[in-house]
Amino acid sequence: MNILLIPPNDLLRHPIPNRLYHIAKRLAERHTIYLLTYPGHPLAKQRTRYLKAVEITYPARKVDNLGLYYILNYPHIRAAIDKTLRTYQIDVVVHANILPSRAAVDLAEKYRVPAVYDYLDHYPESAAAYYSGFLRTMVEKGVWSLVQKPLIKSRTVITPSYGLKAVVKTVVPEKSIHVIPNGVDPIFKPMDKWRARKTIGLDYSGYILLLYGSLDVWIDVVKILNAVKNMRSRGIDVALIIVGFSHGKLFYRQLLTEIIRHGLSKAFFTYPSQPYEKMPYYVNSADAVLSPVKRLRINFTTPLKIIESLACGVPVVAPDILEYRIWFKQGVFTYDPTKIEDAIISAIRFREETDVMTRIAQIIMEKYSWDKIVERYINVVKSVVM
């Protein structure tokens, strides 16, 4: 098949490889991928990742604001999609964005090409996350109205969770919606904790809690910092590692301010966003991985962070969200706001059950291998082409 892929960001240059990168990399082994890239994208600052694909580009206007980038470049994005559909024998359009998805479904309909919407994120909340007050409400309502047309015009929809499926059902109750979770790359596997710490240059003999990935307003870190502070006051030798970046940058600065305010300056290690290949070492260096997300629809999903951590045999501490209980039977220690410390301590103790965590890692890899996920994904894509 010839697949035109409209991703949520620049798949080749974004700091963190997301769901569609892992899927596209495997699809490209058997199919031809025409990949829309976003030149000058505010977050496209990393070295280029390899992906066997025909890059579709356009003369972009470079701006630092994420939302403004798509608005100003919409005519160029639409023209690039139009030219691709006119020039190549595209069999299907797989899209996962807001304005680019809007253009994609209109043009796919024009050229009679089926479209599949990967609703991998609750776009209204993620787009509004960088605003506050009235403006935030307006952005969320505006984006929700924008994504409804792509949902309606797409032949079928894929989501990574039952929570997002329920959201989509409110717009297209009669449409088939396929739940296909996120997966894990085979580089994430158990290794000796002390060797992992040595590899990343971390000389620390106490307990390590890891917070990694996108660090933004959907993360609730204050309660975690309070828990770490309380544990240290009780004589528990625990420290926090932060590896990642903030889309808006302001949240990351606020996070560092909160760490200082909580008196944890000597109990945390911060690293910039790391090459993906190095992340298994950071995960394995930890006694527990933290996923302190807020109870927003954007977080009712199957987080890569949780799957990757469990694949390394490292337990995860997260709020009690129903989606997590559906997908993960062991290794995720949920908490309510008053008992975060108990969840962290339980996770740390469970990490020492090496045989149990190794077995959980094997189950996770068997169930969530990207290779298996892609088999399910391609079956859905093929179903709209036949």
Side-chain angles (χ1 to χ4, degrees):
M1 286 189 298
N2 292 334
I3 303 171
L4 173 56
L5 185 61
I6 314 295
N9 52 45
D10 194 319
L11 288 193
L12 305 184
R13 299 166 189 87
H14 191 274
I16 300 173
N18 73 5
R19 167 186 176 89
L20 272 193
Y21 173 78
H22 295 290
I23 290 171
K25 186 170 71 170
R26 288 160 175 83
L27 289 179
E29 295 173 0
R30 289 175 283 174
H31 306 279
T32 302
I33 303 295
Y34 294 84
L35 175 66
L36 180 69
T37 58
Y38 303 113
H41 191 280
L43 300 177
K45 301 178 188 292
Q46 298 295 105
R47 62 184 176 86
T48 304
R49 292 187 189 87
Y50 175 73
L51 178 63
K52 184 183 176 184
V54 178
E55 285 193 55
I56 307 300
T57 187
Y58 49 86
R61 294 183 63 180
K62 296 181 180 180
V63 290
D64 290 333
N65 183 280
L66 201 56
L68 194 58
Y69 173 88
Y70 289 111
I71 293 171
L72 292 178
N73 287 293
Y74 180 77
H76 302 296
I77 292 171
R78 186 181 178 92
I81 296 172
D82 189 293
K83 182 179 179 181
T84 304
L85 289 170
R86 278 189 289 108
T87 306
Y88 304 102
Q89 293 292 321
I90 300 298
D91 296 301
V92 61
V93 177
V94 177
H95 59 100
N97 209 309
I98 302 168
L99 279 175
S101 282
R102 185 93 176 204
V105 294
D106 284 343
L107 293 166
E109 183 179 58
K110 175 184 175 182
Y111 293 105
R112 298 181 180 180
V113 176
V116 176
Y117 200 173
D118 191 335
Y119 199 79
L120 52 78
D121 189 1
H122 189 47
Y123 297 109
E125 283 184 349
S126 59
Y130 312 110
Y131 305 92
S132 59
F134 177 75
L135 186 57
R136 179 173 182 169
T137 301
M138 292 303 296
V139 170
E140 190 166 340
K141 287 182 178 179
V143 171
W144 181 234
S145 67
L146 284 173
V147 300
Q148 291 187 39
K149 186 176 181 181
L151 286 171
I152 293 167
K153 285 196 169 187
S154 295
R155 189 74 61 83
T156 192
V157 181
I158 298 173
T159 75
S161 68
Y162 294 102
L164 290 180
K165 177 180 179 178
V167 171
V168 172
K169 276 287 187 185
T170 64
V171 180
V172 284
E174 303 302 321
K175 186 163 292 188
S176 64
I177 301 167
H178 304 269
V179 177
I180 302 178
N182 287 315
V184 63
D185 195 278
I187 65 172
F188 288 89
K189 55 188 176 182
M191 66 178 71
D192 180 72
K193 177 175 71 175
W194 306 109
R195 181 169 71 87
R197 291 187 186 184
K198 184 177 180 180
T199 300
I200 64 174
L202 180 62
D203 184 16
Y204 189 78
S205 59
Y207 298 118
I208 288 289
L209 306 177
L210 173 64
L211 181 63
Y212 80 98
S214 298
L215 308 173
D216 280 291
V217 293
W218 46 78
I219 299 291
D220 188 0
V221 295
V222 174
K223 293 183 179 66
I224 289 292
L225 295 179
N226 282 331
V228 173
K229 181 179 179 179
N230 291 339
M231 290 170 68
R232 289 183 63 83
S233 68
R234 290 163 52 191
I236 301 173
D237 188 9
V238 61
L240 183 64
I241 291 183
I242 299 173
V243 185
F245 79 107
S246 171
H247 289 85
K249 297 182 181 178
L250 176 61
F251 182 81
Y252 191 79
R253 292 196 293 269
Q254 292 173 340
L255 170 60
L256 297 181
T257 300
E258 284 294 325
I259 288 171
I260 294 170
R261 189 175 72 82
H262 280 76
L264 297 173
S265 301
K266 296 181 179 179
F268 89 100
F269 306 88
T270 181
Y271 298 84
S273 190
Q274 296 292 308
Y276 187 65
E277 298 74 18
K278 289 187 177 181
M279 283 313 303
Y281 295 101
Y282 287 89
V283 174
N284 275 285
S285 72
D287 293 282
V289 169
L290 306 177
S291 184
V293 296
K294 296 177 182 176
R295 297 187 67 82
L296 303 171
R297 285 176 173 174
I298 189 176
N299 293 322
F300 290 12
T301 183
T302 46
L304 284 168
K305 182 187 304 182
I306 292 181
I307 300 172
E308 290 169 351
S309 301
L310 294 179
C312 289
V314 178
V316 177
V317 178
D320 189 8
I321 292 175
L322 175 61
E323 197 78 39
Y324 300 168
R325 284 190 269 129
I326 292 173
W327 293 101
F328 312 113
K329 303 305 180 185
Q330 278 188 296
V332 178
F333 291 80
T334 58
Y335 60 80
D336 65 49
T338 62
K339 298 182 179 180
I340 299 177
E341 292 170 53
D342 293 344
I344 293 174
I345 292 170
S346 295
I348 288 173
R349 288 173 177 166
F350 201 68
R351 170 76 155 107
E352 296 171 357
E353 300 288 337
T354 308
D355 292 342
V356 177
M357 286 309 305
T358 299
R359 188 163 62 252
I360 291 173
Q362 292 170 345
I363 293 170
I364 291 293
M365 182 53 71
E366 290 171 4
K367 184 176 180 180
Y368 296 100
S369 162
W370 276 122
D371 292 335
K372 289 188 177 181
I373 297 297
V374 168
E375 289 299 325
R376 295 172 59 186
Y377 201 95
I378 197 59
N379 286 338
V380 173
V381 174
K382 283 180 177 178
S383 71
V384 305
V385 177
M386 295 175 179

